[in-house]
Amino acid sequence: MTVTTGRVVAGRYELSTLIGQGGMGQVWTAYDRRLDRRVAVKLLRPDKVAGQEADELRRRFMRECRVTAQVDHPGLVTVHDAGSEGEELFLVMQYVDGADLSDHLAEHDPYPWQWAVAVAAQLCAVLSAVHAVPIVHRDLKPRNVMVKQDGTVTVLDLGVASVMNTDTTRLTHTGSPIGSPAYMAPEQAMGGAVGPYTDLYALGVLMHELLSGDVPFAGSTALGVLHRHLYEPPLPVRRIRPEVPEALETLVLRLLAKDPQHRPASAQEVYEHLAALLPARGTPTGAPLDPTRPFLRPHAPWPDRARTPAPRPAPVAPPPMAEKPDVAAAVDEVKRLLGEGRITQAVDILGAILPAAAEQHGEHSPVVRTLRKQYAATLMDDGQYRRALPELRRLADERAAEAGQADPQSLRYRYEAAQCLEQLGQPAAALAEYRALLPYYENQYVSGDPQLAHDVRRRIGHLLLALGDRPSAHDTLARLLMDVERLHGPGSPMAVEIRRTLQWLGQVRG
C-alpha cells in the first residue's frame, strides 16, 4: 500500500510530512481533524515482520498500546490513539517539537559531559516509571529520544518494540540486524529473557556514545557487533575525554557489564549516582535544547511563555456509590467489556467488585473463586504482572492445599506466576520457579504435558542466557532441540527457533 501526503487514517488523521521510515513502517506528521492539532502517526506493516502471524501481531500491538497508555510520566510521549486500517497498524502520538538525540549529538561535538549527565538523569526517571508497570522498552537509542526546546527529554516508541516477537530484536539467520544491534544487551541479542537490566545496558551504550562520540561496540556485521558485546570490554571514556569525571566513567562501565547481575539494580540507583554530578541551581543560558535547564530552574516557566493561569473550575462532587454493589450486574458488565476488548476497564471493575462478592457469598465460595480466577487472568492479559503475581500465588496455594502439589490447575497458576517474575525483570526467581515446575510437567504419571514441558525448558534456556550462563543455556537448548525434533519434526516453529539460537551461540563461541 502506497502512503501519500493528504491520506486520512481512521477517518480522522490527515498525513502531512514523512519524517521517518524503516523496514516495518513509517512515521508522519499529521493533523487531527477532530481536535485541530498536530500529531505524529506511526504506520506499521505486520506482513513485513518475518516469522510471525499478522493477526497475532495486531492483537499484541493493541495490547501493548493499551498497557503503554497506562504509564503516566512527562518524559514519555503521549499515546492518543491506536488501531488498524487495512493491512496497516497505526499509532497516533503527541507531536514533539525538538531534535532527536542523535541529531543533537551530531550538532554538538564534543557533547558536554554535563549535558550527558542531564540527559541520562531524565532517562532514568522515565525508565523507573516504565519498569514499575512493568514494561521493558527494548529499543532505547538516540533516535528514540527527543530533546525538546525547553531541554526536557521525551522517550518515543514505548511498547512498539515489545510488540514484535523476539525475531525483531535479534539477528536473523543471515546475520542481518532487525532492531538496533549497537544498543542491544548481550542477553537480548542472544534471545535470552529481557528485563529492566536490558534497558540499563542500552542506557550505558547511549551514555558512552554521548561522552565519546561513538557507540562502544561497532562493526561491519551484526554478528561482529554481537561478538564484541559479548567478549570485548568497552573503552573507558576518560581515555578519549579526560575531563569526564571518574565517577561518571565508572557508572558507564557498570551499566555495560556483560552479566546483568553486575549492572546497577535499577534506574533509581543509576539516578542516585548521577544526582551528585548534576549542575547546581542557577540561571540557564537561554539557549534552546539545553538538557541541563530542567535542573538549573526546575519547573520554572519560560520567560517568553509566562501566562496568567486560567481560573480553576469548581470541583465537582463524584456521584454517590451504591450501598450494595450488584455483583451479578458487574459480572455481566465485565463480560461485555472483555467482548469489546476493553480489558483495562474490566480489570478495574473486577478489582472493585471482589470485596463485595466476598462479603455477600463468602471468601471461599465458588462465585468468589471464579471471580478471582478471572481477575488474575485479566490482569495477565492487561500486562499488569505486578498485581497479577500475588493473585496467582494465592490461587496456586489454595488449589494445591485442596488437590495436592501436582494438581494441573495449581501448576498452571505457578507457571503463570513464573511468567510474571520473568516480565518483572527477576530472572533468577523465574528460573527457580520454572525449574521447580519442570519435573511435574515431565512426569507422565502426574500431570505430564510434553508441550508445556518443552516451553518451560525453552524459557529456562533463555533465562540462563539472560543470566550470562551461556554454556548451561547451550546444553539446555541442545537437549531440548533433540526432543522437539523427535516429537514434532525438524521443521516445527520451536525447533527452528532453538536451532537458530544454537547457531548464534556456536558462531559467537567460534
Side-chain angles (χ1 to χ4, degrees), residues 105 109-111 207-215 237 240-241:
L105 172 62
D109 184 22
Y111 203 77
M207 290 176 65
H208 190 286
E209 183 176 9
L210 292 179
L211 293 168
S212 70
D214 199 1
V215 293
V237 293
I240 304 169
R241 299 272 302 280

Side-chain angles (χ1 to χ4, degrees), residues 17 80 86 90 133 200 258 281 364 411-412 437 490 510:
T17 306
H80 297 313
F90 67 85
V133 174
L200 294 185
K258 312 298 184 187
R281 301 288 177 88
H364 300 289
L411 294 173
R412 185 71 196 186
L437 282 171

Side-chain angles (χ1 to χ4, degrees), residues 310-316:
R312 299 179 62 184
V316 178

